[in-house]
Amino acid sequence: MKRKILLLAGVALLAVLPPAQAYDIEAWNSDQPEQPDYVVIRNATVWTADEAGILEEADILVRRGRIARVGRDLRAPGSAIEIDASGRHVTPGLIDAHSHAAIVGGVNESSLISTAMVRIGDVIDADSINIYRQMAGGLTAMHLMHGSANAIGGQNIIVKLRWGADPREMIVDGQPGLIKFALGENPKQSNWQPETPRYPDSRQGVNQIIDEKFQKAERYRLEHSRRGGRNDVPPRRDLEMETLLDIIDGEIDVHSHGYRADEFIALLRTAERHGFRITALHHVLEGYKVADELAEHGAGASTFSDWYGFKYEARDAIPYNAALMHERGVLTSVNSDNPELARRMNIEAAKAVRYGGMDEHEALKLVTANAAAQLGLADRIGRVAEDLDADLVIWNGHPLSVTSRVDQTWIDGRLYFDRERDLESREAWEAERQQLIELVENENAPEEEAEPEATPEEESPEAEGEASDPEPGLDVLRRMLGGAR
Amino acid sequence: MLRTTILVALLLVQAMAWAQEPVLRQPVPGVHAVTGVTVVTAPGEVIENGAIVVRDGIIESVGADIEIPADALVHEFDPEEAEVRIYPGMIDAYVPVPFVSDSEEGQGGEDEEAVTLRPGQYPHPLVTPARRLSSGHWPADKVAGLRRAGFTTAVMAPDSGLFRGYSALVNLGEGGLADNLIEPSMFQHVSLGATISGREFPNSRMGTMALVRQVMLDARWQVEARTAWSRNPAQPRPTYLEDIEALEPLVEGDRMMVVDASDMLDSLRAARVSAEFELRPWLVGHGREYQRLESLAETGLGQILPLDFPEAPDLEQSRRDIGLPELRHWHVAPENPLRVIEAGLPVVFTSHPHGNPEAIFANLARAIERGLDSDAALAALTTEPARMLGIDDRAGRLAPGYMANFLIVEDELFVESPALREVWIDGRQHILRELEPPEVEPAGSWDLSLIVTGMGNIDAVLELQGESPTLSGSLEVMGSSVPLAEARVSGSRLDVRIDGSRLGMPGAITFYMDIEGERGRGSGSSPQGEFDVRGQRSSGPDEAEGTA
């Protein structure tokens, strides 16, 4: 009983205290790591996530941020930074195909049924500690997505986890346009009661409104194509409509949230009717039921490893989903949708070995090569292969083992995370904290020594005697006259 | 009939307006000379034992050996008694105030139709670019507060919305807008933090960004569309949105934009979206510019910086889990103004977000202690904002032909709580603290009660040494002693000031007592609010001095 009360008191206290920023490293004062001309990683077990499979005792030569060679006994310039990875494993940097981990000011623009004009690229949170923590788990790129509150959501952005960079420097160049769609309970607002209901509140309504929006976009195109000379009144520009036209024109890839098989088929048909394809379905817990149809359409699938049952439409889920879809030829990835889970995407991949008996190397592709391909960046990231970005993770053991951890994370041939360096930094951070706390203490101490003439002499001994004591009188003044801001 | 009624109604309104305010502005009082003062004509330019002559609101001459006109009313200061200094009046480049009444503000929020608004279907409740400061919303209290802190000119900006409207550049004299207006359409103010709570667009930061873009596109479109139609009227007339027309000067480059930024990423975001539309706004800062200063410096955008540094973290409460981010910010924040200036960006200061503008002095003192040059600080409050506002031929320094806006201070201006005595605006004198010949000698020990409404009494002992008008001493509470920053007698009144920093708090505690014999009563103010003071002298000056 007593313990329970204590526990309750503890919980109450936690609720009252503002959450302390429980981390010491901050992005703004973290320098961008150097990019050496050459880095060579030697004698590693290299998981290429490519046709080459897993290479034993292999070397990787990195030249100015790109992978130059992969093979045995590679020759490297004398200036190269040599890393002995004997007994260790190297994989491509992990990629989270579905993340909201570094977004400020709202993940959802939840007001309208279509918010195609909003851009996650405007609100990348380069200060988020998630970036550092996920990088420490081997993640090097993530697909920052709009939420799922609307049928047609906002435009997404792919960033690398370049800790310390500005938002725009985190953006992967050369990426396709991307947009979030959503089906089912979220866009139809099943799980909360808005004061002002919004159309639609059924699954067929979600499909209908998407169809209608694209009809409108086609009309918009027609209107704008009619414009003649400079004396003709131009039609008004509309950023939402322009985004939808980019989808039809293949400039923007559609990534749609959804759970149920029937809705996937409806969306694929709607897209086909308007002449575009769905690049990937996300969550897609019933994907195993319609895997052949997804493969035929060319839609990829990015799913949870084993989350299910958190709402009605997520009931018919099985952990074999990823393996089954992969078997039927669907380009499949697993994603986090969660900043904590994103720190251990290797384990999410490993679950496909446990459930479905997927080959280990194929399983790793679920969080590397396959995710890159879904994001339209297969030629840039996701594999250990020549000419790809040197986004590499050095593991101290088998990357699909729960006991393995990341020793180093490289992005663009820059050492962004190093376990040793992190451990060493902790002493420096503690020293910095103590130094600053000392400054705070000095600041709070009365400034009597500074101007001894200001206090009558007779008070000096008294004041000194009190220097170590708290000053109850000053405290009273502070409390009653200080003014809490 | 209806027409007659309207006419009568109009006449009535007109008559009421006449009844309330004189139609014509009174002529500014004529000619003044202030002599025996140290004149700081501009940052770093000081004239010892100088004088200034003001005629009809304009500075006629300033210098050491200028002729005092025969028709001037002379305000003479004795340099032997105290060093009195004259500074150019300070300019606050950003004072957010309400431009509309609450009832107006509520409109649109309850409009059900608004739920289906797409960006661009105006009027949008957050897009009010045509707002201007009206006489009816003259922020008299704010003006008086700024004046007390030594400001003579300010940019009164609308405080709500996304595209908020145009700010007004005003002097801070008596009277209303009519008497003080310099420029009615100074800047268009934008805040990326504007969202609508609930279900309307936009309810996220990215939604706000999309709305900014759509509004700017619409502003461009309206210019193009109306121009095309005027060339060729034989086609459907484009719709006309009057609010959007207010943005035409922005599109045409005739007016500048000022964007409120809430943090460092917001500053960069504001710079980026402005660049998309080839705009070069000033940014209202947040005090964390030091965090990504290189990137900010690349934008080259001017910064309107607040002087609002955090108080030391409370170690008693949170020593164990106090975060390094909080400690770092506390430590570096007072250096922020210096660092931004050194990065080469144009910088002006604002009293925002302080409710009491005098709070800037304690913060400025901290910034100066941490390396900010006091001339640079003065420039950021005088010459730099004058240049930013395009009035550097009229304001920001003391020179012939300039507006007679200045302040009279005892000793230095940039101390924790400067002794401001007078503020002159448009050649009119506003006395902040008038000193009369002392009539009492309050030296000795005083038992005081500081009575704080709702919180009880503080019993204190006030020890005073020396002779009127200036004394020194300390205030003792429960055995703790804090020195007085100032104790001064004027007539039978004793004024006392204590620097808040002595107690580790912002601002200052000031109080006065009217002294009659051995008793005194008065009141005071502190950052917390007002309090009453009662005093009784317990021992005379001889005893106090004897023990000293």
Side-chain angles (χ1 to χ4, degrees):
Chain A
M1 183 64 197
K2 194 175 168 191
R3 218 159 116 194
K4 198 168 178 184
I5 290 172
L6 273 178
L7 188 70
L8 283 175
V11 169
L13 202 66
L14 280 177
V16 168
L17 291 175
Q21 287 163 303
Y23 51 87
D24 297 325
I25 190 166
E26 290 182 271
W28 65 268
N29 65 359
S30 297
D31 289 332
Q32 292 267 50
E34 293 289 306
Q35 186 183 64
D37 281 346
Y38 291 95
V39 180
V40 61
I41 301 171
R42 297 223 182 260
N43 302 318
T45 303
V46 177
W47 297 54
T48 60
D50 202 1
E51 283 164 11
I54 301 173
L55 309 173
E56 301 290 342
E57 300 281 311
D59 300 347
I60 303 168
L61 178 67
V62 172
R63 181 170 172 273
R64 293 193 194 106
R66 293 283 176 95
I67 297 167
R69 303 267 324 263
V70 184
R72 289 201 171 201
D73 302 320
L74 295 182
R75 291 208 304 186
S79 63
I81 294 184
E82 295 254 350
I83 295 167
D84 178 14
S86 305
R88 298 195 279 178
H89 293 244
V90 176
T91 67
L94 308 186
I95 300 166
D96 190 351
H98 189 121
S99 172
H100 311 288
I103 296 172
V104 286
V107 163
N108 274 294
E109 171 55 51
S110 63
S111 52
L112 308 172
I113 193 65
S114 163
T115 57
M117 58 285 181
V118 312
R119 305 175 189 168
I120 295 291
D122 284 335
V123 289
I124 299 167
D125 185 2
D127 288 332
S128 172
I129 193 65
N130 290 335
I131 298 168
Y132 187 79
R133 288 175 176 163
Q134 294 176 4
M135 196 176 60
L139 201 72
T140 58
M142 56 183 167
H143 181 202
L144 287 177
M145 301 183 81
H146 187 275
S148 52
N150 13 41
I152 300 177
Q155 298 165 49
N156 311 322
I157 198 92
I158 304 164
V159 298
K160 286 203 192 181
L161 282 76
R162 295 170 179 136
W163 176 249
D166 285 341
R168 88 193 130 124
E169 296 165 350
M170 291 173 66
I171 295 171
V172 179
D173 55 351
Q175 66 181 283
L178 307 126
I179 195 167
K180 175 76 172 278
F181 278 21
L183 310 173
E185 293 179 22
N186 292 6
K188 76 190 185 73
Q189 303 182 320
S190 314
N191 302 313
W192 66 95
Q193 278 76 44
E195 277 174 27
T196 47
R198 178 182 77 186
Y199 177 85
D201 64 1
S202 69
R203 293 177 197 274
Q204 60 266 46
V206 171
N207 186 45
Q208 187 279 333
I209 196 77
I210 292 172
D211 187 62
E212 183 182 313
K213 283 288 181 183
F214 282 99
Q215 290 178 32
K216 273 192 181 166
E218 294 288 13
R219 273 206 301 281
Y220 176 89
R221 193 203 299 276
L222 200 64
E223 221 175 89
H224 279 251
S225 63
R226 279 194 198 123
R227 198 197 168 183
R230 61 191 271 275
N231 289 348
D232 288 353
V233 170
R236 183 183 154 272
R237 286 185 59 189
D238 183 314
L239 290 175
E240 182 199 358
M241 289 297 134
E242 289 180 11
T243 307
L244 298 182
L245 286 180
D246 283 347
I247 294 171
I248 294 174
D249 296 342
E251 304 285 324
I252 293 181
D253 293 346
V254 177
H255 289 255
S256 181
H257 156 120
Y259 291 89
R260 272 178 42 168
D262 49 0
E263 285 183 297
F264 301 147
I265 300 301
L267 178 65
L268 300 186
R269 300 290 170 264
T270 300
E272 284 164 9
R273 208 158 49 243
H274 288 282
F276 66 95
R277 294 195 175 269
I278 303 298
T279 302
L281 293 161
H282 286 240
H283 311 334
V284 60
L285 296 189
E286 292 187 15
Y288 63 93
K289 296 181 180 177
V290 288
D292 291 343
E293 286 81 356
L294 300 190
E296 194 194 339
H297 177 90
S302 187
T303 189
F304 298 135
S305 60
D306 54 4
W307 284 3
Y308 79 106
F310 42 89
K311 53 181 161 178
Y312 198 86
E313 63 186 357
R315 286 167 65 104
D316 222 357
I318 53 174
Y320 302 90
N321 192 31
L324 287 174
M325 289 192 295
H326 170 73
E327 241 173 71
R328 302 303 296 183
V330 178
L331 179 63
T332 304
S333 68
V334 292
N335 66 57
S336 80
D337 198 14
N338 175 298
E340 192 283 323
L341 202 67
R343 299 185 303 165
R344 44 191 170 85
M345 293 304 290
N346 57 321
I347 306 305
E348 293 305 290
K351 287 173 184 170
V353 181
R354 170 69 180 78
Y355 298 103
M358 210 166 176
D359 168 73
E360 288 182 359
H361 187 246
E362 286 298 315
L364 184 75
K365 285 188 191 172
L366 295 174
V367 291
T368 53
N370 293 6
Q374 286 176 350
L375 299 178
L377 292 172
D379 296 336
R380 281 286 303 281
I381 56 175
R383 290 174 291 138
V384 182
E386 284 178 21
D387 285 339
L388 266 65
D389 292 359
D391 299 354
L392 301 165
V393 186
I394 302 177
W395 305 81
N396 72 338
H398 192 293
L400 299 187
S401 162
V402 287
T403 61
S404 293
R405 59 169 195 246
V406 172
D407 281 341
Q408 292 186 338
T409 304
W410 293 74
I411 300 174
D412 309 318
R414 299 171 195 264
L415 181 56
Y416 272 88
F417 174 77
D418 181 62
R419 190 179 152 79
E420 291 296 319
R421 194 171 63 196
D422 183 284
L423 291 173
E424 282 164 21
S425 302
R426 293 177 194 195
E427 278 175 37
W429 291 328
E430 190 49 34
E432 184 187 358
R433 185 199 321 278
Q434 290 313 325
Q435 198 181 3
L436 287 169
I437 284 179
E438 203 171 298
L439 286 175
V440 172
E441 282 168 340
N442 291 344
E443 174 98 353
N444 286 343
E447 297 172 31
E448 275 159 20
E449 291 85 342
E451 285 179 50
E453 73 279 3
T455 39
E457 277 169 38
E458 55 146 65
E459 285 185 15
S460 298
E462 204 183 325
E464 271 169 32
E466 280 182 3
S468 56
D469 292 325
E471 296 258 22
L474 299 189
D475 225 45
V476 167
L477 280 178
R478 261 195 294 274
R479 208 172 57 243
M480 295 183 64
L481 303 176
R485 280 192 298 176
Chain B
M1 179 58 200
L2 183 65
R3 194 182 278 176
T4 321
T5 316
I6 290 172
L7 194 65
V8 169
L10 279 176
L11 281 172
L12 269 175
V13 169
Q14 192 65 51
M16 278 159 65
W18 281 332
Q20 278 166 3
E21 274 182 69
V23 174
L24 291 174
R25 186 174 168 174
Q26 294 297 314
V28 176
V31 190
H32 300 268
V34 184
T35 66
V37 290
T38 303
V39 187
V40 180
T41 55
E45 294 169 26
V46 181
I47 299 167
E48 305 283 347
N49 202 358
I52 185 167
V53 175
V54 171
R55 184 178 295 276
D56 297 335
I58 304 294
I59 297 170
E60 187 172 79
S61 58
V62 56
D65 299 307
I66 55 170
E67 198 177 324
I68 307 301
D71 57 347
L73 176 61
V74 180
H75 307 257
E76 198 172 349
F77 290 94
D78 181 2
E80 300 293 309
E81 193 183 305
E83 193 197 10
V84 171
R85 300 165 72 96
I86 295 195
Y87 287 87
M90 297 196 295
I91 302 170
D92 192 333
Y94 182 69
V95 180
V97 291
F99 269 29
V100 286
S101 53
D102 290 341
S103 59
E104 273 180 79
E105 195 70 40
Q107 279 182 7
E110 273 136 59
D111 185 359
E112 297 226 336
E113 284 299 300
V115 174
T116 55
L117 269 182
R118 289 197 327 277
Q121 285 182 323
Y122 303 108
H124 188 285
L126 292 179
V127 181
T128 56
R131 269 194 210 153
R132 284 181 173 78
L133 184 61
S134 67
S135 293
H137 291 104
W138 179 248
D141 290 348
K142 191 83 207 173
V143 167
L146 285 163
R147 199 163 54 215
R148 271 199 304 278
F151 288 97
T152 59
T153 304
V155 175
M156 295 292 174
D159 71 348
S160 64
L162 172 58
F163 281 87
R164 298 179 158 184
Y166 283 99
S167 50
L169 176 62
V170 297
N171 272 354
L172 300 169
E174 298 286 352
L177 184 65
D179 299 314
N180 288 292
L181 183 72
I182 298 171
E183 164 59 53
S185 303
M186 198 63 230
F187 305 124
Q188 177 67 226
H189 289 263
V190 171
S191 168
L192 302 179
T195 54
I196 291 191
S197 60
R199 298 305 315 281
E200 285 175 52
F201 180 88
N203 60 17
S204 68
R205 180 61 53 106
M206 60 185 155
T208 305
M209 293 290 283
L211 184 52
V212 167
R213 290 196 181 93
Q214 187 67 58
V215 168
M216 286 307 297
L217 286 179
D218 287 342
R220 281 185 181 174
W221 172 80
Q222 184 152 305
V223 175
E224 273 179 46
R226 302 295 293 188
T227 309
W229 178 74
S230 69
R231 284 202 209 101
N232 175 20
Q235 57 183 329
R237 193 170 55 251
T239 40
Y240 168 74
L241 298 169
E242 61 181 78
D243 267 17
I244 285 299
E245 184 164 27
L247 290 174
E248 209 178 302
L250 267 195
V251 174
E252 306 282 339
D254 295 336
R255 279 290 176 274
M256 235 164 41
M257 187 161 81
V258 170
V259 185
D260 251 48
S262 59
D263 59 27
M264 201 48 230
L265 296 180
D266 215 27
S267 294
L268 298 178
R269 193 176 294 131
R272 287 243 315 280
V273 73
S274 303
E276 285 175 30
F277 294 93
E278 289 157 7
L279 298 174
R280 295 190 50 76
W282 278 72
L283 302 184
V284 179
H286 37 73
R288 291 178 185 263
E289 282 74 11
Y290 64 87
Q291 294 193 339
R292 292 175 187 268
L293 190 51
E294 268 180 43
S295 308
L296 190 66
E298 277 172 30
T299 71
L301 298 181
Q303 306 291 316
I304 303 172
L305 293 185
L307 297 164
D308 182 24
F309 311 134
E311 286 174 59
D314 186 347
L315 296 178
E316 310 305 318
Q317 285 280 329
S318 55
R319 175 184 287 268
R320 233 157 40 104
D321 50 22
I322 190 161
L324 259 182
E326 186 186 352
L327 284 165
R328 286 191 187 117
H329 179 57
W330 164 76
H331 183 59
V332 183
E335 264 174 43
N336 189 56
L338 170 69
R339 293 195 187 182
V340 181
I341 290 171
E342 282 183 342
L345 291 174
V347 169
V348 303
F349 292 153
T350 171
S351 70
H352 171 75
H354 297 294
N356 177 2
E358 289 171 67
I360 64 162
F361 290 110
N363 286 292
L364 268 175
R366 278 175 76 185
I368 289 169
E369 189 187 306
R370 293 290 287 281
L372 178 66
D373 179 50
S374 58
D375 285 336
L378 183 61
L381 285 158
T382 55
T383 46
E384 289 295 317
R387 193 161 57 179
M388 168 207 188
L389 298 163
I391 52 170
D392 48 346
D393 58 345
R394 273 170 284 172
R397 54 176 64 234
L398 301 179
Y402 277 58
M403 293 191 288
N405 291 351
F406 53 86
L407 44 146
I408 299 179
V409 192
E410 271 178 61
D411 298 326
E412 297 280 339
L413 176 60
F414 291 141
V415 295
E416 290 208 7
S417 45
L420 295 172
R421 285 175 62 159
E422 298 176 15
V423 172
W424 288 62
I425 297 170
D426 286 328
R428 284 199 210 211
Q429 182 188 29
H430 299 264
I431 294 173
L432 302 178
R433 301 196 321 148
E434 191 161 27
L435 297 181
E436 294 166 14
E439 290 164 15
V440 292
E441 290 290 345
S445 288
W446 291 78
D447 292 331
L448 297 190
S449 263
L450 311 181
I451 305 151
V452 189
T453 313
M455 294 190 77
N457 295 2
I458 306 173
D459 290 326
V461 179
L462 180 67
E463 299 279 0
L464 291 172
Q465 298 94 37
E467 284 180 17
S468 295
T470 49
L471 301 97
S472 63
S474 61
L475 187 76
E476 269 182 45
V477 181
M478 293 170 70
S480 320
S481 170
V482 52
L484 307 181
E486 188 186 13
R488 179 183 278 278
V489 177
S490 169
S492 62
R493 172 181 158 126
L494 170 72
D495 276 289
V496 171
R497 197 175 78 248
I498 296 163
D499 280 342
S501 65
R502 295 278 179 193
L503 303 164
M505 57 185 238
I509 299 171
T510 58
F511 64 84
Y512 78 91
M513 286 196 298
D514 283 320
I515 294 173
E516 246 189 274
E518 304 301 299
R519 287 176 177 277
R521 58 188 301 158
S523 66
S525 68
S526 73
Q528 181 83 7
E530 314 278 301
F531 57 91
D532 286 324
V533 181
R534 301 282 179 274
Q536 167 86 45
R537 180 147 48 181
S538 58
S539 61
D542 293 335
E543 293 163 66
E545 272 167 25
T547 55

